[in-house]
């Protein structure tokens, strides 16, 4: 019972710290010009502070110090140490961009601390690809790879207002409920603390966003979710009905379906087109939904619902063979993505096939400070030819 109160207090503490600290961070960002500038493949229209991840890290870190039980095991210390490594790497990249290789090096270092020193690792694939027990060093190598993959997956889906934070909230609450049912005290407290931090953050990040989480936030969240995933894969869950089932990687894939499948699909797409898998593009699922005519909020809500439905599907099919369940998840996700692409094409192709009435005609005016001035057609027609010739 005391643990339950700790998790609730942690959630409230993290929410309040995040909620109160973000306005301060926003003022500091504007004062120091630490802003995300629109342009290129970026969707937002105005300069926006991008250090929301600082509030997420601070609220999570100090809430864990306040409500976590460090006497149970020393692994929590190494868990927070690895988190701090990811935080400072992300902060450095948000303030002064660093090379992808240096960023990857920081991610591997944080993953090493989590897997090797804190002991968060996969010991068994539970029959996925015919593999069961993993021996060292394969267990550590696969675990480090998974941590780095999840960190980058959250970085990739952080493309529209509220998406990465909302998906992380759904995942954190799911893991929090599982860890509570299992009696994993520190993990379920950590999951509820992350949920509280994300609730406070989403108040400012929901469309139209007043602040972005930046690499600081996406890497911090990805690291914590990766730690939850590794712990989840190594616990047997006792259900209220008295039933026991063993979590497996396919169920974890369903819980993480949006970042998992979108990252997998985009990397495959880039490789098939002989492009670097690390090259940024606008082929993510949130870009596809925006192409369907949705705004950031609508696209985010659609993806929230999809993620929740996949979690429900995984619970319903929890006794299914892991290989079959993984196939069902990937095929169903591919079908839903294909439907979204089809709807986007319906939205786009009519404007290409059928001529649309032009509301204005471009006119080059040398007296204007900009390159092109666009004037309504009826205004242009009212100007005499002599005046037009005089301005050309």
């Amino acid at each position: 019972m005391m643990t339950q109160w700790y998790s609730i207090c942690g959630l409230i503490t993290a929410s309040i710290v995040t909620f109160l600290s973000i306005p301060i961070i926003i003022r500091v960002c504007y004062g120091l010009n630490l802003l995300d500038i629109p342009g290129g493949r970026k969707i937002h229209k105005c300069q926006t502070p991008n250090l929301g991840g600082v509030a997420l890290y601070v609220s999570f870190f100090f809430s864990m110090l306040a409500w976590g039980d460090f006497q149970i095991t020393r692994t929590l210390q190494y868990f927070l140490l690895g988190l701090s490594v990811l935080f400072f790497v992300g902060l450095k990249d948000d303030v002064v961009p660093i090379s992808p290789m240096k960023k990857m090096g920081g991610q591997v270092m944080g993953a090493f601390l989590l897997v090797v020193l804190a002991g968060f690792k996969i010991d068994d694939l539970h029959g996925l690809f015919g593999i069961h027990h993993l021996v060292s060093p394969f267990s550590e190598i696969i675990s480090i790879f998974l941590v780095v993959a999840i960190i980058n997956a959250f970085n990739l889906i952080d493309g529209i207002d509220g998406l990465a934070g909302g998906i992380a909230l759904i995942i954190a609450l799911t893991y929090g409920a599982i860890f509570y049912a299992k009696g994993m005290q520190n993990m379920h407290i950590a999951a509820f603390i992350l949920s509280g931090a994300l609730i406070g953050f989403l108040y400012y990040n929901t469309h139209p966003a007043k602040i972005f989480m930046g690499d600081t936030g996406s890497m911090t969240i990805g690291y914590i979710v990766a730690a939850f995933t590794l712990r989840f894969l190594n616990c047997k869950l006792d259900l209220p009905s008295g039933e026991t089932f063993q979590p497996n990687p396919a169920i974890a894939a369903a819980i993480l379906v949006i970042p998992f499948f979108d990252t997998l699909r985009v990397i495959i797409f880039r490789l098939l087109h002989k492009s670097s898998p690390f090259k940024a593009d606008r082929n993510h699922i949130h870009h596809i939904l925006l192409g369907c005519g949705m705004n950031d909020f609508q696209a985010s809500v659609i993806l929230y619902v999809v993620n929740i439905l996949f979690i429900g599907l995984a619970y319903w099919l929890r006794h299914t063979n892991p290989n079959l369940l993984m196939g069902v998840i990937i095929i169903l996700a591919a079908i839903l993505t294909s439907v979204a692409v089809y709807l986007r094409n319906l939205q786009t192709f009519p404007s290409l096939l059928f001529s649309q009435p032009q509301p204005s005609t471009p006119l080059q005016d040398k007296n204007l400070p900009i390159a092109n001035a666009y004037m309504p057609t009826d205004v242009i027609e009212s100007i005499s030819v002599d005046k037009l010739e005089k301005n050309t």
Side-chain angles (χ1 to χ4, degrees):
M1 180 62 69
M2 189 62 67
T3 302
Q4 180 180 352
W5 283 108
Y6 281 175
S7 62
I8 295 174
C9 291
L11 185 149
I12 294 174
T13 302
S15 297
I16 293 175
V17 171
T18 306
F19 183 81
L20 296 179
S21 62
I22 284 183
I24 300 173
I25 294 172
I26 291 176
R27 288 196 293 270
V28 170
C29 286
Y30 278 111
L32 299 178
N33 198 32
L34 298 174
L35 306 172
D36 196 328
I37 309 300
R41 56 184 293 273
K42 298 178 180 178
I43 298 171
H44 60 285
K45 304 299 182 183
C46 59
Q47 299 181 7
T48 307
N50 66 341
L51 291 182
V54 174
L56 292 171
Y57 168 80
V58 169
S59 62
F60 182 86
F61 187 90
F62 287 100
S63 296
M64 283 300 298
L65 292 180
W67 302 107
D69 191 345
F70 288 81
Q71 295 180 350
I72 297 178
T73 174
R74 296 178 62 86
T75 61
L76 195 58
Q77 301 172 16
Y78 295 114
F79 165 69
L80 293 178
L81 178 60
L83 176 66
S84 299
V85 170
L86 268 295
F87 166 73
F88 284 110
V89 171
L91 182 62
K92 169 69 173 178
D93 191 50
D94 284 332
V95 176
V96 181
I98 59 178
S99 67
M101 292 305 299
K102 290 182 179 179
K103 190 190 300 186
M104 181 68 72
Q107 294 171 359
V108 172
M109 183 184 299
F112 178 86
L113 292 171
L114 179 67
V115 172
V116 178
L117 298 184
F120 287 62
K121 59 182 179 179
I122 303 175
D123 294 324
D124 198 322
L125 291 182
H126 307 289
L128 184 67
F129 309 126
I131 302 173
H132 288 273
H133 183 67
L134 294 172
V135 298
S136 182
F138 297 105
S139 174
E140 288 81 4
I141 292 173
I142 293 175
S143 299
I144 290 174
F145 172 81
L146 180 64
V147 173
V148 174
I150 293 177
I151 291 171
N152 284 281
F154 272 93
N155 183 265
L156 290 175
I157 68 167
D158 183 30
I160 59 176
D161 299 345
L163 178 56
I167 294 295
L169 176 59
I170 293 169
I171 294 170
L173 290 173
T174 301
Y175 280 139
I178 293 172
F179 295 146
Y180 176 75
K182 180 60 181 174
M184 301 172 68
Q185 179 175 333
N186 276 329
M187 284 296 95
H188 103 257
I189 291 175
F192 277 89
I193 287 175
L194 178 60
S195 301
L198 290 166
I199 290 171
F201 172 74
L202 285 170
Y203 178 82
Y204 298 97
N205 186 242
T206 303
H207 183 70
K210 300 179 180 65
I211 191 170
F212 299 148
M213 66 172 60
D215 278 2
T216 309
S218 62
M219 290 174 66
T220 296
I221 291 173
Y223 174 90
I224 298 171
V225 170
F228 292 163
T229 303
L230 293 175
R231 271 291 187 256
F232 166 75
L233 291 173
N234 284 338
C235 69
K236 289 184 178 180
L237 187 61
D238 298 321
L239 299 177
S241 60
E243 172 191 354
T244 300
F245 84 99
Q246 178 69 58
N248 61 67
I251 297 176
I255 296 174
L256 300 169
V257 66
I258 297 301
F260 162 71
F261 180 75
D262 187 57
T263 301
L264 179 65
R265 184 187 60 83
V266 167
I267 289 177
I268 292 175
F269 179 86
R270 292 171 183 172
L271 292 176
L272 290 176
H273 288 77
K274 298 181 180 179
S275 178
S276 169
F278 305 105
K279 181 180 179 181
D281 57 31
R282 291 174 61 91
N283 193 44
H284 293 283
I285 184 62
H286 51 271
H287 292 133
I288 295 173
L289 293 180
L290 293 179
C292 293
M294 300 181 187
N295 59 32
D296 287 30
F297 178 77
Q298 294 167 337
S300 295
V301 170
I302 289 292
L303 294 175
Y304 297 163
V305 172
V306 170
N307 210 124
I308 292 172
L309 291 176
F310 269 86
I311 293 172
L313 176 67
Y315 178 78
W316 182 47
L317 300 176
R318 61 189 179 275
H319 297 300
T320 306
N321 179 279
N323 295 287
L324 179 59
L325 180 56
M326 183 70 80
V328 169
I329 292 168
I330 292 176
I331 292 173
L332 186 56
I335 291 173
L336 293 176
T337 303
S338 299
V339 171
V341 172
Y342 175 74
L343 293 176
R344 180 191 62 181
N345 293 341
L346 287 181
Q347 181 81 10
T348 304
F349 288 166
S351 62
L352 299 177
L353 297 175
F354 303 99
S355 60
Q356 301 292 329
Q358 299 296 325
S360 60
T361 302
L363 173 66
Q364 181 71 27
D365 191 338
K366 295 180 181 179
N367 297 323
L368 293 176
I370 57 177
N372 289 293
Y374 288 89
M375 301 179 64
T377 305
D378 55 349
V379 175
I380 295 176
E381 291 175 349
S382 65
I383 302 176
S384 64
V385 176
D386 292 338
K387 291 182 179 180
L388 287 176
E389 291 178 349
K390 182 178 179 181
N391 286 329
T392 58

